């Protein structure tokens, strides 16, 4: 999701990874921060593409991603039948990974699997349908995955939803938070031993807009009032906070990182920006394709480090709320209770 805020470049700070952040990247970070400020121009029907693409192309040409080291790695991607999830699954398949696609619609998943096989020539691609709004379905997903695999090298939590109206799941939770965060939390913890066994990595797709979540942060069911963007932003803050807390708890046993894919041509972006559906095709053409976000995902997967948060492919410092360890522990405790898991 894009950042439509009025933040200045100086307000987007690098996360400290001295071994991986060089002077050119610091310069790119400043440039990319300026580009985030241009996000509002897209909503006003002024294209961002001419500004954004050259910088991203340069960034990814300069980054070396060793795809070959994913041969035989077991990966799961949620929300994999379209958009960023699909593009990431294609990249993983090209890298030689064994990929499980997760989504709600079996027919769309089958079509996505077949398309990935045709595109990449890879045949170790499968799918598991699951409605991530249901905790029972998430638990079933974890069990079915365990029936097929005894390790998990890469888990990409990407599935997300956004809705103008407040909806409640079968578990009694507000649907945006249930899909966008509780499903991440529950699935990750149910498969954590397989990730540790593989010394794997969890990659959570977050959003730079998590910075705007400063009030009502712990009203995860939107009981004091529902607003589409606020609910989405709250769930994305929870993603970043959870990632950092997970990294602290895992230590060196596995990695946990999150990133914002930036302004990317997806239906979720159109919904968030409240673009009328009849304009989607024209407006989506103004944005980089999901392949660009998939490159960031692949970089996070293949590069070292844990507890990282990236925006536009660059390590940055997340919001003070995301860095608040007391808040992170409270959210962990609350999510554990809501999903029926022990805290540890």
């Amino acid at each position: 999701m894009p950042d439509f805020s009025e933040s200045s470049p100086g307000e987007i700070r690098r996360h400290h990874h001295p071994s991986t952040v060089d002077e050119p990247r610091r310069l790119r970070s400043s440039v990319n921060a300026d580009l985030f400020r241009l996000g509002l121009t897209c909503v006003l029907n002024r294209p961002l593409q001419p500004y954004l693409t050259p910088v991203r192309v340069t960034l990814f040409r300069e980054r070396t991603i060793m795809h070959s080291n994913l041969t035989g790695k077991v990966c799961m991607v949620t929300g994999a039948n379209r958009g960023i999830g699909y593009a990431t699954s294609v990249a993983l398949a090209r890298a030689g990974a064994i990929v499980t696609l997760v989504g709600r619609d079996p027919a769309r998943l089958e079509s996505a699997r077949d398309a990935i096989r045709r595109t990449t020539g890879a045949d170790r691609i499968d799918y598991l349908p699951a409605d991530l709004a249901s905790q029972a379905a998430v638990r079933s997903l974890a069990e079915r995955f365990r029936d097929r695999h005894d390790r998990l090298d890469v888990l990409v939590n990407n599935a997300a939803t956004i809705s103008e109206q407040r909806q409640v799941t079968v578990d009694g939770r507000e649907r945006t938070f249930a899909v966008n965060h509780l499903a991440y939390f529950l699935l990750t913890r149910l498969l954590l031993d397989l990730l540790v066994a593989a010394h794997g990595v969890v990659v959570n797709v977050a959003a730079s807009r998590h910075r705007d979540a400063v009030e009502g942060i712990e009203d995860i069911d939107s009981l004091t009032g529902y607003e589409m963007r606020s609910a989405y932003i709250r769930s994305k803050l929870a993603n970043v906070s959870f990632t950092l807390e997970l990294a602290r708890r895992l230590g060196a046993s596995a990695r946990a990182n999150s990133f914002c894919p930036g302004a990317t041509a997806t239906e979720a972006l159109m919904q968030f920006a409240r673009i009328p559906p009849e304009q989607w095709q024209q407006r989506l053409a103004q944005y980089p394709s999901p392949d660009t976000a998939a490159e960031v995902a692949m970089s996070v997967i293949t590069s070292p480090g844990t507890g990282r948060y990236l925006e536009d492919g660059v390590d940055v410092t997340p919001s003070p709320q995301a860095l608040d360890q007391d808040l992170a522990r409270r959210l962990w405790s609350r999510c554990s209770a809501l999903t029926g898991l022990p805290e540890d």
Side-chain angles (χ1 to χ4, degrees):
M1 299 296 295
D3 184 353
F4 298 127
S5 69
E6 294 297 325
S7 301
S8 69
E11 290 173 325
I12 300 182
R13 302 178 301 277
R14 290 185 302 111
H15 196 56
H16 294 290
H17 291 280
S19 63
T20 59
V21 180
D22 53 15
E23 187 63 34
R25 179 174 291 185
R26 284 194 292 271
L27 190 56
R28 287 194 300 272
S29 181
S30 177
V31 173
N32 291 336
D34 283 330
L35 294 178
F36 273 115
R37 298 181 65 199
L38 292 173
L40 183 59
T41 64
C42 295
V43 181
L44 299 177
N45 201 27
R46 294 168 61 189
L48 177 65
Q49 177 81 5
Y51 305 96
L52 186 58
T53 301
V55 173
R56 281 187 166 179
V57 169
T58 300
L59 174 62
F60 292 119
R61 280 177 180 168
E62 290 180 6
R63 176 186 295 122
T64 300
I65 300 176
M66 300 301 293
H67 287 180
S68 60
N69 66 3
L70 295 183
T71 300
K73 300 293 186 182
V74 179
C75 306
M76 176 189 284
V77 182
T78 69
N81 61 286
R82 61 184 178 181
I84 295 169
Y86 176 81
T88 301
S89 299
V90 170
L92 289 168
R94 283 187 172 137
I98 302 166
V99 186
T100 296
L101 315 177
V102 176
R104 188 171 52 177
D105 188 324
R108 288 183 176 181
L109 283 173
E110 183 176 10
S111 177
R113 179 201 62 186
D114 294 345
I116 292 172
R117 286 178 173 177
R118 288 193 303 271
T119 300
T120 66
D123 59 0
R124 302 188 74 180
I125 314 296
D126 212 337
Y127 65 88
L128 290 171
D131 180 0
L132 300 181
S134 163
Q135 293 182 26
V138 175
R139 290 180 181 276
S140 172
L141 168 63
E143 291 173 1
R144 286 177 287 149
F145 183 83
R146 285 179 178 278
D147 289 340
R148 301 182 182 187
H149 304 283
D150 60 3
R151 61 181 287 144
L152 178 57
D153 295 277
V154 178
L155 172 60
V156 180
N157 286 310
N158 163 75
T161 189
I162 189 167
S163 173
E164 284 283 2
Q165 304 298 321
R166 184 179 186 272
Q167 301 177 38
V168 179
T169 70
V170 65
D171 303 299
R173 307 270 66 85
E174 189 278 311
R175 192 171 188 273
T176 300
F177 195 85
V179 173
N180 295 7
H181 184 66
L182 284 180
Y184 286 28
F185 182 88
L186 180 56
L187 183 60
T188 299
R189 291 199 56 194
L190 290 174
L191 296 176
L192 201 55
D193 61 319
L194 300 187
L195 283 156
V196 170
H199 196 69
V201 59
V202 179
V203 177
N204 293 322
V205 180
S208 59
R209 285 299 300 265
H210 82 274
R211 300 177 184 281
D212 294 340
V214 294
E215 296 180 354
I217 292 172
E218 297 181 66
D219 181 19
I220 61 178
D221 283 321
S222 300
L223 297 176
T224 60
Y226 180 84
E227 195 280 321
M228 177 187 74
R229 290 177 175 171
S230 295
Y232 180 85
I233 289 166
R234 186 181 299 116
S235 71
K236 295 292 108 179
L237 170 62
N239 291 163
V240 181
S241 175
F242 165 58
T243 304
L244 298 177
E245 180 66 13
L246 180 62
R248 285 189 288 267
R249 293 180 181 232
L250 286 173
S253 61
R255 295 185 292 128
N257 297 306
S258 61
F259 76 97
C260 169
T264 304
T266 63
E267 291 183 10
L269 171 61
M270 297 294 97
Q271 291 174 300
F272 188 87
R274 292 191 169 102
I275 303 299
E278 62 270 18
Q279 297 180 21
W280 284 10
Q281 184 174 1
Q282 175 188 358
R283 302 293 283 276
L284 285 170
Q286 299 172 0
Y287 292 86
S289 79
D291 293 343
T292 305
E295 287 287 351
V296 180
M298 291 298 289
S299 174
V300 176
I301 289 166
T302 57
S303 59
T306 189
R308 299 169 62 197
Y309 170 66
L310 293 81
E311 290 178 1
D312 205 32
V314 178
D315 287 271
V316 297
T317 300
S319 72
Q321 289 75 22
L323 294 172
D324 185 334
Q325 295 189 28
D326 289 335
L327 174 61
R329 285 189 287 268
R330 290 198 304 274
L331 286 172
W332 184 287
S333 178
R334 183 86 180 276
C335 292
S336 295
L338 293 175
T339 54
L341 295 174
E343 287 200 28
D344 296 323

